[in-house]
């Protein structure tokens, strides 16, 4: 029998079904305050040029998937499930994002659905982030890491978000977490904007197995947490450390922060060559954005899937060639 996790490390799984519908009918506030921070100007020179050796590199097969269950097509294989930590930005670039993350904290809202305290749609608030996710050097870097051409995701609301984790004040609230969940996005890059020594807890954990196996053993896995033999911890250490995760296929969570503060940036991208394999579902976004906003967002996503070239031209996004396999 697997040992139970303590209350400091146990994380619940998100609820589904009727709960999602109820949340979709009463979408909350999007931001809590105006954003007036004077940002550093984005520059392509802030993209890291040196390659780092990731501590983790796992394929879809390592998570139990068979070849025919993977994304891709014969001329565009797409089998990477997870890799990192790597540096996408230079130290100066990562520090600029860290400053933005701190400045945006007042604008973040609380929500007990997936991530307790976060701000979505960061790209529309931050000129730095908007320029970064459209920069050719940045897109080339992330595309080379995964092995397929990547561009900003048509679902802007979920495309870039910043998550905040702090110990509860006075012990009256539960500590912020990211509940066990899968993302709607296939290509998710999570960057820490805090050094590991700045907080206790706040570990990014993931289940190395298939989603249906997690669902069948949900109580066992959530009870054991990081002590479960098939749960791993991503080794984030320094500001700028970034993990790529096949978010739509990998269950993951963040344990409660018991000391200090933790901030992460999550960037979700889109492969125009494999748009029909995008795994977003309408009811994945609706609980966060509400029904009306999700209908419009869904329309834009479907247009991008059907006509990726038109989407790239409209958004002034560079169309990258398929990167060479490393």
């Amino acid at each position: 029998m697997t040992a139970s996790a303590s209350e400091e490390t146990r994380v619940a799984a998100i609820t589904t079904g009727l709960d999602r519908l109820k949340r979709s009918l009463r979408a909350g506030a999007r931001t809590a305050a105006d954003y007036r921070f004077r940002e550093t100007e984005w520059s392509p020179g802030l993209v890291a040029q040196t390659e780092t050796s990731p501590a983790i590199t796992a394929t879809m097969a390592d998570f139990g998937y068979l070849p025919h269950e993977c994304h891709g097509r014969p001329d565009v294989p797409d089998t990477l499930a997870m890799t990192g930590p790597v540096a996408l930005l230079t130290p100066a670039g990562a520090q600029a994002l860290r400053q933005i993350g701190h400045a945006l904290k007042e604008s973040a809202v609380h929500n007990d659905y997936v991530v307790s305290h976060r701000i979505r749609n960061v790209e529309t608030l931050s000129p730095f982030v908007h320029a970064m996710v459209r920069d050719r050097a940045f897109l080339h870097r992330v595309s080379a890491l995964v092995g397929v051409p990547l561009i900003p995701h048509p679902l802007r609301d979920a495309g870039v978000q910043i998550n905040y984790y702090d110990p509860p004040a006075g012990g009256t609230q539960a500590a912020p977490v990211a509940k066990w969940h899968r993302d709607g996005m296939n290509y998710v890059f999570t960057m820490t904007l805090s050094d590991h020594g700045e907080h206790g807890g706040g570990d990014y954990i993931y289940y190395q197995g298939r989603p249906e196996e997690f669902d069948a053993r949900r109580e066992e896995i959530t009870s054991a947490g990081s002590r479960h033999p098939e749960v791993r911890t991503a080794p984030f250490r320094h500001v700028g450390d970034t993990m790529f995760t096949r978010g739509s296929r990998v269950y993951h969570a963040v344990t409660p922060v018991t000391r200090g503060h933790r901030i992460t940036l999550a960037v979700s991208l889109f492969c125009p060559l494999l748009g029909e394999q995008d795994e977003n579902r309408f009811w994945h976004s609706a609980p966060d954005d509400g029904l009306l906003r999700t209908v419009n967002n869904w329309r834009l996503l479907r247009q991008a899937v059907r006509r990726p070239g038109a989407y790239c031209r409209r958004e002034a996004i560079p169309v990258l060639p398929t990167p060479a396999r490393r």
Side-chain angles (χ1 to χ4, degrees), residues 84-283:
V86 298
L88 297 183
L89 302 182
T90 64
Q95 287 297 329
L97 272 179
R98 174 185 169 94
Q99 292 173 357
I100 292 169
H102 281 287
L104 277 167
K105 189 172 183 178
E106 290 186 2
S107 302
V109 297
H110 290 272
N111 186 318
D112 66 349
Y113 179 51
V114 181
V115 180
S116 306
H117 189 198
R118 65 178 172 173
I119 183 166
R120 288 157 60 82
N121 203 7
V122 173
E123 184 193 341
T124 62
L125 295 174
S126 167
F128 183 98
V129 172
H130 178 86
M132 180 185 76
V133 298
R134 281 169 161 68
D135 183 79
R136 179 175 289 273
F138 177 80
L139 293 174
H140 178 80
R141 179 82 172 90
V142 293
S143 299
L145 185 67
V146 178
V148 299
L150 297 174
I151 61 176
H153 205 284
L155 291 183
R156 290 266 185 95
D157 288 302
V160 185
Q161 68 181 44
I162 298 179
N163 305 318
Y164 300 91
Y165 306 89
D166 306 280
T172 58
Q173 296 177 322
V177 299
K179 295 181 180 179
W180 281 106
H181 69 287
R182 288 184 290 151
D183 302 317
M185 313 301 204
N186 294 358
Y187 309 97
V188 183
F189 298 82
T190 302
M191 180 187 299
T192 180
L193 301 181
S194 307
D195 283 331
H196 193 266
E198 294 180 279
H199 59 84
D203 291 323
Y204 180 111
I205 57 177
Y206 61 96
Y207 175 69
Q208 189 154 343
R210 299 170 63 97
E212 58 267 31
E213 295 169 354
F214 179 95
D215 292 334
R217 305 163 63 189
R218 179 174 299 228
E219 181 60 31
E220 170 194 335
I221 296 167
T222 58
S223 294
S226 58
R227 294 183 177 87
H228 193 278
E230 291 163 10
V231 170
R232 311 282 187 265
T233 300
F236 289 102
R237 288 292 177 268
H238 305 292
V239 172
D241 281 359
T242 304
M243 293 290 303
F244 163 72
T245 306
R246 184 78 54 165
S248 59
R249 298 286 189 96
V250 176
Y251 263 107
H252 53 283
V254 174
T255 63
V257 167
T258 58
R259 172 188 58 81
H261 309 277
R262 180 179 187 264
I263 304 178
T264 60
L265 174 85
V267 178
S268 299
L269 299 173
F270 177 78
C271 179
L273 298 184
L274 305 174
E276 292 183 355
Q277 298 178 18
D278 186 273
E279 294 196 61
N280 271 279
R281 298 294 178 265
F282 182 88
W283 292 107

